[in-house]
Structure formats: structure tokens, C-alpha cells
Amino acid sequence: MAATPVTPSEIPVLDLGPFLAWEEGALERTAAELRYICETIGFLYIANHGVPRALVDATFAEAARFHAQPVEAKLAVKVDAQMQGYLPMRGSTTRTFDPKADNKPNENEAFFVKREGMPGIANRWPEDLPGFRETTLRYYTALEFLARRMLPLYARALGLPANYFDAKCDEPLSSLRLSHYPPVAAYAENEFGIAPHTDSTFITLLAQNEIPGLQIRRQDGSWMDAPVIEDTFIVNTGDVLNRWTNGRFLSTPHRAFNTSARPRYAIPYFFHPNAETLIDCLPGCEVAGEAPRFPAMTMAEYMAWFRGRNYAHLRKDLPAAAQ
């Protein structure tokens, strides 16, 4: 659990204000900064992102309200095969960073929300929490809007046309997770709030939490605490963008604990491309004389593999094509 202090430059703060205000030259300047961060760190903070602080605070409050319910009420909307609903405590075992690690199930519980209105999507909502659905969906919509507004930055960071990702991510196969990490005075060996892992995503957007607990793995293998910077989001590259860029953009392992005396909540938004989008080596990311590092897969195929490896209620022997 030990981590060495982080220096300010290790997790940079990217100011989105000029870009979102359409200032001349801001797209290219910001994309150049983003390129360096994605190729060397894989984690950053974004400031002046446009998501109201009141909405972030309200969503944290709804996460706390949901998890304060009796377990029987939460189990009434237990998670299904599409990962919609309530995942009980210790219902996942994180395997994306080191599949051979003998980690204990994660010490957290979560409620998953998907994009409404898509085929096969039927979010499972609690019956006795008035306002919960409305606030959660407002937050989901705001985060999807922000992620899609950032797509031109990632496209230009890769030397692609600014609109390159737009049609590939206009019906994103994304999800919002409202997580609860109970206080743990001392974690046992191989026990974590959430074990070291990389995300499945194109990018992940994580609102700042008043109770710290996130740790990020440096390239030398050491761990650093992610400081709390108010009114920012932490953004990290996920495995999908790592695969799409042929490993050029880093998907950095991270983990979380809660050794405070209070419950810790997290509300990460996981942004993915459309279900049918093919994740194959992007133009400009090829290595001369070498085959792509990863096999081509659709987003839906990749997510089926990912879920089957990490969640107990879905775990089964799956083809190793995505490994």
C-alpha cells in the first residue's frame, strides 16, 4: 500500500478552458500537451471542464444514499449479465493488470448505469429513492457530453482529422459506476479497495473525491498517491485506446484503498466507442515491418471478454484472443 510522494509534474493539469471556448490555436496546443501525457504517463487532471460542481456533489450524495440502503433493497436490483444494477461487496476480482495475481475480491460495492435508449439496455433502478434516477442520468449525460467534446483532442494528438472518432463514438458503449469503499483499518495481503488494474476504456473520467485513496503506478513500478485537486477530473487512457494506438498511448495501472475512518465513494465514468466499432491499429500507429500488437476486435467483443474475466457472476472460460 506504500506510495512515494507525487511531484506536481508527474500528473499534469490540463486546462480545457481555451479549447472549449474555441480560442484560436487552442486545439493544437492542447492536443500536443495531451499527446505527451498519453505517451509518458497516461494520467492527467482536467480543469475548466464545464461540468457544474453542484451536479458532481449531487451525484456523490446519490451514491451515498443508494449504498446506505439495506442490502436487501440493493439486491432487488442486483447486477445482470449486461452489468446493469448492483454489484455486491467483493463481487469482482480485478485481473486486467496481472491475470496471475492471487488477489482477494475487491473491498467495494457498486451500482452500474448504462446509456439509456440503446438496444439491450434496461437500467435497473431502485424503487424507493426518489430523484436518484434523475440525478444519476443528468450526471451520466454531462460526462458523455464532456468525453465526446474531448475526442478532437485525442484525434489531433494522434495526427488524425479532428472529427476522426466522432462517428465511431456517437452511441458510446459507456457506463457509470457509483462505488462505495467502506473504511478498512488494515488491508490483508493481496487485499485492496480495488486491486491494481487498467481500465477497459477509451478514457475514464473520475470526479475528485474529498477522501483520497487512488494510487497510480509509475513506469518504474513504484506507486504514487493521486492528490485531490478541487474542481478537476482525473482522466486516464484505457485499454481500448492503448490497443487502438498499438500501445503508443499508455494504459496505466492504478489501485484504490480506503484507510480513512469514513466511507469513500467514487463515481467514475467509463467512456467506450460504439459497440460495432472495430478496434484495430490506427493510421500512424503502425510499426514498420511488424504486425499490430493486438488482434482487431469490435468494442462489443472486447467488453464481453473483459467482463468475463473480472466479474464473478460472468466468469467463464473465454477465448484468449484479446490477451
Side-chain angles (χ1 to χ4, degrees), residues 88-230:
M89 191 73 68
R90 293 180 285 278
S92 63
T93 305
T94 306
R95 299 172 185 268
T96 56
F97 172 52
D98 183 359
K100 300 181 182 64
D102 187 25
N103 293 330
K104 294 180 171 63
N106 293 314
E107 288 290 324
N108 73 70
E109 57 183 337
F111 181 78
F112 290 89
V113 177
K114 298 295 181 64
R115 192 172 194 260
E116 294 210 320
M118 296 185 68
I121 299 299
N123 283 315
R124 313 199 69 202
W125 298 105
E127 293 185 357
D128 299 323
L129 289 180
F132 175 81
R133 174 177 180 168
E134 292 75 12
T135 299
T136 302
L137 288 179
R138 280 200 304 273
Y139 185 74
Y140 187 107
T141 300
L143 271 288
E144 180 180 309
F145 181 67
L146 173 59
R148 291 175 65 180
R149 291 185 79 187
M150 293 176 66
L151 289 175
L153 290 173
Y154 284 89
R156 293 304 301 137
L158 291 162
L160 299 168
N163 65 352
Y164 183 86
F165 293 115
D166 291 359
K168 303 176 189 300
C169 301
D170 58 359
E171 293 187 348
L173 194 67
S174 301
S175 64
L176 172 66
R177 175 176 174 143
L178 308 182
S179 300
H180 166 225
Y181 297 83
V184 176
Y187 288 86
E189 185 178 358
N190 290 344
E191 187 177 47
F192 307 85
I194 188 166
H197 67 286
T198 55
D199 291 344
S200 65
T201 55
F202 185 104
I203 57 172
T204 301
L205 298 170
L206 180 68
Q208 285 294 272
N209 194 318
E210 64 177 8
I211 299 176
L214 176 66
Q215 293 183 344
I216 298 166
R217 188 176 183 271
R218 294 183 176 92
Q219 297 304 304
D220 65 5
S222 64
W223 291 88
M224 57 181 167
D225 292 312
V228 173
I229 302 178
E230 287 193 6

Side-chain angles (χ1 to χ4, degrees), residues 277-319:
T277 294
L278 185 67
I279 310 303
D280 200 1
C281 183
L282 288 169
C285 293
E286 309 92 339
V287 177
E290 296 182 10
R293 291 176 56 187
F294 307 100
M297 304 179 74
T298 67
M299 188 65 237
E301 289 169 341
Y302 179 76
M303 285 308 300
W305 170 81
F306 177 86
R307 292 169 184 155
R309 191 162 78 157
N310 288 282
Y311 296 100
H313 71 295
L314 298 174
R315 192 161 299 134
K316 55 190 175 182
D317 291 331
L318 291 172

Side-chain angles (χ1 to χ4, degrees), residues 201-278:
T201 55
F202 185 104
I203 57 172
T204 301
L205 298 170
L206 180 68
Q208 285 294 272
N209 194 318
E210 64 177 8
I211 299 176
L214 176 66
Q215 293 183 344
I216 298 166
R217 188 176 183 271
R218 294 183 176 92
Q219 297 304 304
D220 65 5
S222 64
W223 291 88
M224 57 181 167
D225 292 312
V228 173
I229 302 178
E230 287 193 6
D231 297 326
T232 67
F233 282 86
I234 292 178
V235 181
N236 62 281
T237 305
D239 291 347
V240 164
L241 190 52
N242 174 258
R243 297 168 76 92
W244 225 347
T245 61
N246 203 28
R248 177 178 168 187
F249 280 11
L250 303 180
S251 183
T252 300
H254 48 287
R255 63 189 186 184
F257 301 91
N258 181 18
T259 55
S260 77
R262 295 187 292 158
R264 180 179 184 269
Y265 301 96
I267 52 174
Y269 171 76
F270 303 104
F271 183 72
H272 297 93
N274 301 349
E276 71 279 5
T277 294
L278 185 67

